[in-house]
């Protein structure tokens, strides 16, 4: 046996290499899948904010546990959670009120303690050390005149039964200022819970009282008092301790803690982190086997074909063994032993190659520093590859072992024995079943993963049956026309097994390469499209402004410097199912947004009306007013009110006059508007008593309305936007009559009636995205001021930039005219830039800084796309390109191996043709045509198979870890990538085939026709 192996060492090496490639594919899948899982863990841990990875456990004090401290909560942290966490941060907090200055109302404030707080603050004074000592922010110290030694007090909340005398109020808690603080930028410590940023901010929900930054104290301040305080233990994630095994244990421990301690409020950070990694691992389990299974199928096919070639060379050896008395079983053992030894030797080589390949791919694709592991799952995969390889060799040897001895002794193999018809039929049937199953949705899982490659193999096998017949027909036609080279090439393709094998391998290899290139480009295209839609613009600058006019002005500053910029305000209601509201300037949006994100939007309905805002030129309003009104249900006379809006969007109202105590009358107006800062007229209103059941009906005439002697332009034909009077409904209709205004009043049930200036459309036109949106639908949405605004849907689209598939787009300039307020706690205030180059971003920062507009952060579409690129789906699909490259290399190797094993036969045939009178030029052309034809046909068929495989397989592959409804996945072929990949494969394989033909042609000797050694 060993002598036989040494005699055919080239073939032994080829079998061992192909077997090693099968084992490499088998071992690489679990090794690299584990590496991707490690990369997912690293990405989730490092890219997420510290706030998103920390676990917070809170517990309020109760009537039964009034004096507990955070140490009690810390003792209940399970060991599995503590193992993946850093040092716990213990904190206490109490929402209360403090009187900032004598004579002022008590303002909302939070009293809090936090472990090592002073290490993360810049303290002017000293750190609190005893109960009752506090630090106040530098902003509050400046605003309220607080200094070291200032005494403050807060109320001590009570529980029933805390004090025996129910009428007694608990004494207040005395606090003493011992210093001021400024917060250091340390997101990993504060975890989104900074104590500053609230000083002086007013909140309508709290009666517009100015807020106060948090008061920093020691834990001792909470001992024995404040029985409603909340205890908090924050466990920051330790990236070095978080592993694929420890994180799931921590998540399970958190769930047990919730069940065993219902009094604790534990966030789901660990569970969310684990679920995100688990989703990525599920995708890894699909994509990595998908790529490696396709390459492994090609490797098995090549092993089968190379084994067939080896079997063909041993036909005479099998015949001699049979003639010397060996049975068919003995001949089988002899043949299979020689073929299987190289296969077995290739197994450890394949494992080593898989490890080296995994190391190289990790370095080029995955994050640096992730641990390298070889999972135990490698063993069953390697054993499976060995079994498949043995079966492939056995199937290749089966036809020869069943042939009679006289057929084995023939120089030319009988056509009836060529190939393995059973194997070919099985492959074709499996491919048909797979394609039909994927098309109907009845097939999924591992079977679906192998279908594209089975399709290519089936097409290659069928072509190997059809092309030789077509070549033979073409050869006969060429012979009749006297075209010797074409005739010789056609007959060679028709009769040589190597040509058919090259055709099959080339088809499959091209299919894998083109499919891989197309899959990578299609996935990149979809990831970029999603990043563009969710980001909205090439660069998004988050700014800290309080009003819509300020946001518009900031964007205008950039526009004046030739930077394409759009002001954007986005608010997401607290209800996750509610639609987001996106407010922007529609004209500027199209200059700055990503083009594909706004391609379907029609900005015309959002344009402002032709009516310009009516600016107030002074402070004192004058006019003459007469009325004829009938009032019922109230003795209080109605009032005529002018509604105004300041330049910053604040709403003001000025009473012009009381519409008398009599039904009819007149009055001269001389009223102070109390509004001089770029005020505009928002509307005119008849304010009634507000008594239920009361009503006011009649007319009001206004003439000579002026401010500081300058007439107001309020008598235009389209100045006022007022509803026509209707029975049973309150209304105020304004009709200009020359220089006068005629008001028709119908106020029912004590309601005020208003007519608005038509500089803002009502309801506000909007573009909506969502399955439930309908054109002309009128409804209320949350506006960027935190209130409700009535909108009318003018257009419905599939998606909106930043708001995606569930939101509405309205005009920010229109909102600025009605109310310029922004809910700074919930509204994202951004400026979108049309250019994300570092130079433009830096220039925008400088311009905003010069305009006193603080910049909080800058995000870009490129960064968002990079996040999607660092995902399990992206990493897995990049393997498809690597698999295609390896497939082409393998196909080239097969061309060389088949040439090495069959060149002598080709040389003898060419020598015989030369002896018969065929010119050397014609013989060389025939040889080139023979080799190039199979490759060219295989490349074309492979490209077509790749396109078909993309159509049936890409929908089964996850493109994102978390799927999104929009943008809809665009799985159309990337034609440029398909053409480029096909061209590259064709050039490589055709060049190899051409070199092989030239090498064989140079070895042709005329003596070979008479049996001389070549």
């Amino acid at each position: 046996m060993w002598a036989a192996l040494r005699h055919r060492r080239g073939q032994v090496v080829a079998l061992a290499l192909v077997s090693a490639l099968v084992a490499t594919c088998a071992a690489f899948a679990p090794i690299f899948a584990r590496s991707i899982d490690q990369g997912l863990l690293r990405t989730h841990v490092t890219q997420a904010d510290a706030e998103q990875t920390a676990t917070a456990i809170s517990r309020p004090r109760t009537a039964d546990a009034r004096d507990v401290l955070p140490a009690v909560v810390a003792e209940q942290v399970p060991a599995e959670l503590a193992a993946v966490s850093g040092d716990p941060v213990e904190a206490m907090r109490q929402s209360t009120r403090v009187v900032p200055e004598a004579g002022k109302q008590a303002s909302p404030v939070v009293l809090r303690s936090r472990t090592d707080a002073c290490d993360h603050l810049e303290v002017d004074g000293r750190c609190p050390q005893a109960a009752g000592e506090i630090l106040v922010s530098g902003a509050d110290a400046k605003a309220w005149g607080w200094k070291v030694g200032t005494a403050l007090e807060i109320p001590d909340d009570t529980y029933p039964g805390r004090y025996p005398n129910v009428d007694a109020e608990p004494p207040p808690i005395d606090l003493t200022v011992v210093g001021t603080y400024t917060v250091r930028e340390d997101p990993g410590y504060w975890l989104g819970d900074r104590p500053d940023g609230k000083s002086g901010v007013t909140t309508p929900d709290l009666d517009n009282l100015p807020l106060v930054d948090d008061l920093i104290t020691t834990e001792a301040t909470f001992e024995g008092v404040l029985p409603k305080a909340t205890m908090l233990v924050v466990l920051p994630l330790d990236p070095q301790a978080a592993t694929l095994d420890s994180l799931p244990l921590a998540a399970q421990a958190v769930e047990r803690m919730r069940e065993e301690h219902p009094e604790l409020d534990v966030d789901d950070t660990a569970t969310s982190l684990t679920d995100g990694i688990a989703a990525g691992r599920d995708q890894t389990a699909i994509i990595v086997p998908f790529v490696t299974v396709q390459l492994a199928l090609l490797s098995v096919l090549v092993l089968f074909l190379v084994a067939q070639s080896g079997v063909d060379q041993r036909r005479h050896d099998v015949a001699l063994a049979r003639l010397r008395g060996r049975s068919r079983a003995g001949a089988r053992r002899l043949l299979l032993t020689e073929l299987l030894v190289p296969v077995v030797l290739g197994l450890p080589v394949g494992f080593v190659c898989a490890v080296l390949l995994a190391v190289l791919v990790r370095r080029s694709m995955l994050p640096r520093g992730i641990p390298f592991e070889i999972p135990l799952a490698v063993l069953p995969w390697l054993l499976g590859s060995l079994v498949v390889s043995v079966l492939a060799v056995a199937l290749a040897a089966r036809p020869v072992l069943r042939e009679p001895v006289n057929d084995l002794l023939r120089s030319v193999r009988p056509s009836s024995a060529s190939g393995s018809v059973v194997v070919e039929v099985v492959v074709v049937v499996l491919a048909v079943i797979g394609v039909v199953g994927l098309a109907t949705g009845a097939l999924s899982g591992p079977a679906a993963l192998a279908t594209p490659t089975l399709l290519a193999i089936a097409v290659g096998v069928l072509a190997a049956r059809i092309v030789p017949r077509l070549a033979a027909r073409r050869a006969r036609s060429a012979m009749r026309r006297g075209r010797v080279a074409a005739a010789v090439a056609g007959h060679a393709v028709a009769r040589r097994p190597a040509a058919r094998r090259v055709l099959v391998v080339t088809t499959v290899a091209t299919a894998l390469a083109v499919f891989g290139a197309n899959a990578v480009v299609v996935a990149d295209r979809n990831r970029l499209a999603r990043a563009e839609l969710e980001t909205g613009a090439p660069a998004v600058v988050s700014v800290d402004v309080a009003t819509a006019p300020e946001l518009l002005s900031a964007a205008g500053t950039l526009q004046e410097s030739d930077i394409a910029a759009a002001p954007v305000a986005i608010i997401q209601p607290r209800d996750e199912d509610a639609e987001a509201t996106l407010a922007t300037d529609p004209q500027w949006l199209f200059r700055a947004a990503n083009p594909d994100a706004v391609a379907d939007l029609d900005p015309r309905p959002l344009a402002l009306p032709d009516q310009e805002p009516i600016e107030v030129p002074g402070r004192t309003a004058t006019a003459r007013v007469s009325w004829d009104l009938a009032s019922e249900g109230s003795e209080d006379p109605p009032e005529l009110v002018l509604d105004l809006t300041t330049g910053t969007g604040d709403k003001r109202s000025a009473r012009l006059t009381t519409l008398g105590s009599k039904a009819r009358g007149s009055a001269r107006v001389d009223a102070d508007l109390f509004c001089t800062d770029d005020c505009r007229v928002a509307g005119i209103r008849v304010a009634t008593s507000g008594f239920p059941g009361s009503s006011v009906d009649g007319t009001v005439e206004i003439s000579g309305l002026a401010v500081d002697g300058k007439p107001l332009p309020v008598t235009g034909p389209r100045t006022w936007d007022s509803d026509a009077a209707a029975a049973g409904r309150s209304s105020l209709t304004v009709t200009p009559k020359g220089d006068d205004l005629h008001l028709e009043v119908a106020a029912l049930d004590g309601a005020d009636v208003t007519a608005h200036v038509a500089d803002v459309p009502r309801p506000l036109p909007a573009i909506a995205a969502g399955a439930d949106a309908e054109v002309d639908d009128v409804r209320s949405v949350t506006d960027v001021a935190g209130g409700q605004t009535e909108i009318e849907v003018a257009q419905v689209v599939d998606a909106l930039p930043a708001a995606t598939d569930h939101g509405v787009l309205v005009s920010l300039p229109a909102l600025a005219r009605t109310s310029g307020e922004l809910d700074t706690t919930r509204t994202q205030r951004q400026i979108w830039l049309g250019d994300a180059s570092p130079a433009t971003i830096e220039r925008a920062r400088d311009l905003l800084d010069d305009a006193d507009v603080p910049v909080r952060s800058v995000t870009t579409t490129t960064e968002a796309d990079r996040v999607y690129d660092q995902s399990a789906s992206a990493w897995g699909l990049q393997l498809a390109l690597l698999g295609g490259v390896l497939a082409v290399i393998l196909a080239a190797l097969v061309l060389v191996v088949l040439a090495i094993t069959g060149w002598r036969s080709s040389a003898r045939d060419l020598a015989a043709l030369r002896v018969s009178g065929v010119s050397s030029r014609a013989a060389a052309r025939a040889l080139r045509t023979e080799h190039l034809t199979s490759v060219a046909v295989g490349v074309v068929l492979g490209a077509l198979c790749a396109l078909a495989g993309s159509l049936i397989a890409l929908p089964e592959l996850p493109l994102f870890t978390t799927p999104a409804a929009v943008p809809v996945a665009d799985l159309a072929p990337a034609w440029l990538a398909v053409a480029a990949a096909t061209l590259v494969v064709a050039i490589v394989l055709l060049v190899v085939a051409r070199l092989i033909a030239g090498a064989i042609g140079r070895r042709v000797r005329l003596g070979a026709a008479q049996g001389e050694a070549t």
Side-chain angles (χ1 to χ4, degrees):
M1 178 188 72
W2 296 109
L5 292 176
R6 285 193 299 271
H7 177 66
R8 297 187 176 93
R9 60 173 61 91
Q11 192 178 91
V12 170
V13 171
L15 278 172
L17 288 177
V18 178
S19 172
L21 184 56
V22 176
T24 298
C25 295
F28 178 79
I31 295 175
F32 190 68
R34 185 68 175 182
S35 296
I36 288 183
D37 293 343
Q38 296 286 2
L40 283 174
L41 173 65
R42 178 61 55 85
T43 300
H44 277 74
V45 170
T46 57
Q47 288 187 349
D49 295 335
E51 178 184 357
Q52 296 175 324
T53 59
T55 301
I57 308 171
S58 62
R59 172 186 172 182
R61 286 177 170 177
T62 62
D64 298 328
R66 300 168 175 161
D67 302 323
V68 292
L69 296 173
V72 176
V73 178
E75 292 174 356
Q76 297 172 337
V77 174
E80 296 88 346
L81 179 58
V84 299
S85 305
D87 295 333
V89 177
E90 300 179 3
M92 292 201 71
R93 59 188 301 129
Q94 170 73 41
S95 296
T96 181
R97 288 177 178 268
V98 65
V99 177
E101 190 176 24
K104 299 286 187 179
Q105 294 187 45
S107 293
V109 71
V110 173
L111 179 69
R112 63 189 296 186
S113 67
R114 194 175 182 92
T115 303
D116 300 328
C118 289
D119 293 341
H120 304 274
L121 300 169
E122 293 182 6
V123 178
D124 184 6
R126 65 175 179 85
C127 192
Q129 299 174 355
E133 295 182 345
I134 61 170
L135 291 176
V136 299
S137 71
D140 282 329
K142 181 179 180 180
W144 304 110
W146 294 342
K147 55 185 179 181
V148 174
T150 298
L152 302 173
E153 62 181 31
I154 60 173
D156 185 10
D157 293 335
T158 64
Y159 276 103
R162 179 173 176 84
Y163 296 94
N165 185 353
V166 295
D167 295 329
E169 287 291 336
I173 299 174
D174 296 325
L175 303 175
T176 303
V177 177
V178 297
T180 62
Y181 69 82
T182 302
V183 179
R184 294 177 182 171
E185 292 296 331
D186 190 356
Y189 175 78
W190 296 111
L191 302 174
D193 188 23
R194 290 171 58 111
D196 62 347
K198 299 180 282 290
S199 179
V201 177
T202 59
T203 305
D205 296 341
L206 298 175
D207 299 327
N208 289 320
L209 292 172
L211 300 179
V212 176
D213 287 334
D214 296 353
L215 309 178
I216 307 297
T217 186
T218 63
E219 193 174 286
T221 302
F222 292 88
E223 294 180 359
V225 294
L226 299 173
K228 294 183 180 179
T230 299
M231 299 162 290
L232 180 69
V233 174
V234 181
L235 299 165
L237 183 68
D238 182 1
Q240 302 302 322
T243 66
L244 292 171
D245 299 321
S246 61
L247 266 182
L249 294 177
Q252 295 171 9
V254 169
E255 293 300 324
R256 288 198 308 270
M257 183 168 60
R258 284 198 183 101
E259 296 175 359
E260 297 172 359
H261 301 283
E263 73 279 5
L264 299 179
D265 182 12
V266 187
D267 63 26
D268 57 355
T269 300
T271 303
S272 300
L273 191 60
T274 304
D275 291 344
I277 296 173
R281 297 183 71 177
D282 291 341
Q283 293 182 348
T284 302
I286 296 175
I287 298 176
V288 174
F290 173 80
V291 176
T292 54
V293 162
Q294 292 191 89
L295 189 59
L297 283 175
L298 175 60
S299 304
V300 172
L301 172 65
V302 171
L303 180 62
F304 175 78
L305 297 177
V306 173
Q308 274 190 333
S309 178
V311 169
D312 287 344
Q313 286 193 341
R314 290 172 172 80
R315 291 169 56 81
H316 292 173
D317 296 346
V318 174
L320 290 176
R322 295 278 300 280
L323 290 174
R324 291 174 179 174
R326 285 182 181 266
S327 62
R328 286 190 175 184
R332 179 184 299 108
R333 285 193 298 272
L334 176 66
L335 179 60
L336 292 180
T337 299
E338 290 187 21
L339 295 176
L340 291 179
V341 167
V343 171
V344 175
L345 292 176
L347 192 68
V349 176
F351 172 72
V352 174
C353 292
V355 174
L356 295 177
L357 181 62
V359 171
L360 293 176
V361 176
R362 278 162 45 94
R363 290 182 177 178
S364 61
M365 291 172 49
L366 301 183
R368 300 285 183 179
I370 61 174
F372 182 73
E373 298 180 74
I374 299 179
L376 293 177
V378 169
L379 293 178
W381 279 79
L382 281 175
L383 292 177
S385 70
L386 178 61
V387 171
V388 171
S389 299
V390 170
L391 289 176
V393 172
L395 287 174
R398 187 171 180 269
V400 170
L401 295 174
R402 300 180 65 180
E403 290 184 39
V405 174
N406 59 333
D407 287 344
L408 293 174
L409 292 172
R410 295 177 59 179
S411 299
V412 179
R413 183 175 182 175
S415 59
S416 60
S418 63
S420 178
V421 178
V422 175
V423 175
E424 295 174 0
V425 171
V426 169
V427 170
V428 173
V429 170
L430 288 177
V432 172
I433 293 175
V435 172
V436 174
L438 283 175
T440 59
L443 188 65
S444 61
L449 303 182
T451 297
T453 306
L454 286 176
L455 174 64
I457 295 175
V459 170
V461 167
L462 292 176
R465 290 286 179 179
I466 297 173
V467 169
R469 290 175 171 80
L470 296 176
R473 185 180 302 176
R474 175 64 176 169
R476 290 192 294 269
S477 175
M479 185 65 72
R480 288 193 299 269
R481 297 178 181 181
R483 299 171 59 183
V484 177
V488 172
H491 282 301
V493 172
R495 64 186 290 270
R496 293 190 193 281
R500 295 191 291 271
R501 291 164 186 165
V502 166
L503 177 59
V504 175
V505 173
T506 304
T507 300
V508 179
T510 304
L512 290 182
V514 176
F515 176 88
N518 180 61
V520 169
V521 175
V522 168
D524 286 343
R525 182 177 66 202
N526 280 272
R527 288 195 298 270
L528 179 59
R530 181 171 177 181
E532 288 181 342
L533 179 64
E534 294 178 346
T535 307
V540 176
V541 181
S542 295
V543 295
D544 191 4
V545 294
T547 66
E550 292 176 3
L551 186 58
L552 289 166
S553 176
T557 299
L558 301 184
Q559 290 276 6
E560 292 172 359
S561 299
D562 295 327
I563 297 178
V568 176
I570 308 173
I571 187 168
Q572 177 67 54
R574 293 183 175 90
D575 184 359
E576 294 182 357
D577 296 330
E579 55 193 354
T581 300
L582 172 71
T584 184
D585 188 313
Q587 293 182 346
W588 292 355
L589 176 66
F590 282 78
R591 303 175 189 173
N594 290 313
D596 290 342
V598 296
D600 297 332
L601 304 185
D602 181 4
R604 290 174 296 178
L606 305 185
L608 291 173
D610 295 334
Q611 173 63 43
E612 294 293 332
I614 300 176
E615 303 290 342
V616 177
R619 178 161 178 168
T620 303
T622 57
R624 183 167 184 82
V625 177
S626 61
W627 62 88
D628 185 359
L629 300 173
S631 300
E632 295 181 2
S634 174
E635 296 181 357
D636 296 335
E639 295 179 340
L640 186 63
V641 179
L642 196 64
D643 290 328
L644 308 169
T645 304
T646 67
T648 59
D650 294 334
K651 294 181 178 180
R652 302 282 178 86
S653 295
R655 185 179 67 85
L656 297 181
T657 185
T658 300
L659 299 177
S661 58
K662 296 181 180 180
R664 294 182 180 179
S666 63
R668 186 170 296 278
V669 173
D670 188 0
D672 192 340
L673 299 181
F674 298 102
C675 190
T676 58
D677 300 330
D678 298 327
C679 284
R680 52 170 283 272
V681 178
I684 195 166
R685 174 162 49 98
V686 175
T688 65
S689 62
F691 292 152
S694 63
S695 65
V696 177
D697 185 67
T699 62
V700 177
E701 300 287 341
I702 305 175
S703 60
L705 181 58
V707 175
D708 286 356
K710 298 178 181 178
L712 285 180
V714 295
T715 57
R718 297 183 180 179
T719 300
W720 297 96
D721 183 10
S722 56
D723 295 332
R729 190 178 66 178
S730 296
S731 64
L732 178 62
T733 304
V734 179
T735 304
K737 291 185 177 180
D739 294 334
D740 300 341
L741 293 178
H742 176 77
L743 281 59
E744 292 282 347
V745 182
L748 305 178
D749 202 25
D752 293 353
V753 287
T754 304
H756 299 282
V757 176
D759 59 345
V760 176
R762 292 179 174 81
L764 209 61
I767 300 175
D772 300 332
E774 296 181 1
V775 175
D776 298 330
D777 182 22
V778 177
R779 63 179 186 271
S780 294
V781 298
T782 303
D783 60 30
V784 292
Q788 293 291 311
T789 294
E790 191 175 53
I791 65 166
E792 181 177 3
V793 178
Q795 182 189 8
V796 176
V797 295
D798 294 331
L800 291 171
T804 65
D805 64 331
H806 201 48
V808 295
L809 173 65
V810 296
S811 170
L812 183 62
L815 287 177
R817 289 183 178 182
T818 58
S819 173
E821 297 177 356
L822 296 176
D823 186 344
T824 56
T825 60
R826 298 163 55 197
T827 300
Q828 303 175 47
R829 294 142 290 161
Q830 303 170 344
I831 297 178
W832 290 5
L833 304 181
D835 182 7
S837 64
T840 300
I841 292 176
E842 188 61 30
R843 192 157 68 97
R845 280 181 175 273
D846 294 340
L847 290 171
L848 292 173
D849 184 61
D850 294 341
D852 294 329
V853 177
V855 175
R856 287 190 170 183
S857 63
V858 178
T859 58
T860 64
T861 296
T862 302
E863 293 172 353
D865 186 35
R866 189 179 301 119
V867 171
Y868 286 128
D869 288 342
Q870 295 180 344
S871 63
S873 59
W875 289 330
L877 285 174
Q878 288 177 25
L879 283 180
L881 190 58
L882 175 63
V885 173
L886 294 178
V888 174
I889 294 174
L890 182 59
L893 176 64
V894 170
L895 292 179
V896 174
V897 169
L898 292 178
I900 292 174
T901 57
W903 72 270
R904 288 182 175 85
S905 175
S906 296
R908 284 194 297 268
D909 292 345
L910 289 174
L913 289 172
R914 292 285 305 281
V915 171
S916 301
V918 177
S919 67
S920 59
R921 184 174 181 180
R925 187 185 308 117
L927 184 61
R928 290 195 300 270
T929 303
E930 173 192 347
H931 283 81
L932 296 179
T933 298
S934 297
V935 173
V937 173
V939 169
V940 173
L941 292 177
L944 296 177
C945 289
L947 292 174
S950 297
L951 294 176
I952 63 177
L954 278 183
E956 300 296 321
L957 295 178
L959 300 180
F960 300 98
T961 304
T962 55
V966 291
V968 177
D970 179 12
L971 303 181
W975 295 109
L976 183 60
V978 170
T982 304
L983 182 62
V984 170
V985 173
I987 291 175
V988 171
L989 296 184
L990 289 174
V991 168
V992 172
R994 176 66 178 82
L995 293 175
I996 290 173
I1000 294 176
R1002 288 191 295 272
R1003 289 178 174 268
V1004 174
R1005 301 290 184 270
L1006 295 181
Q1010 300 176 352
E1012 295 181 5
T1014 56

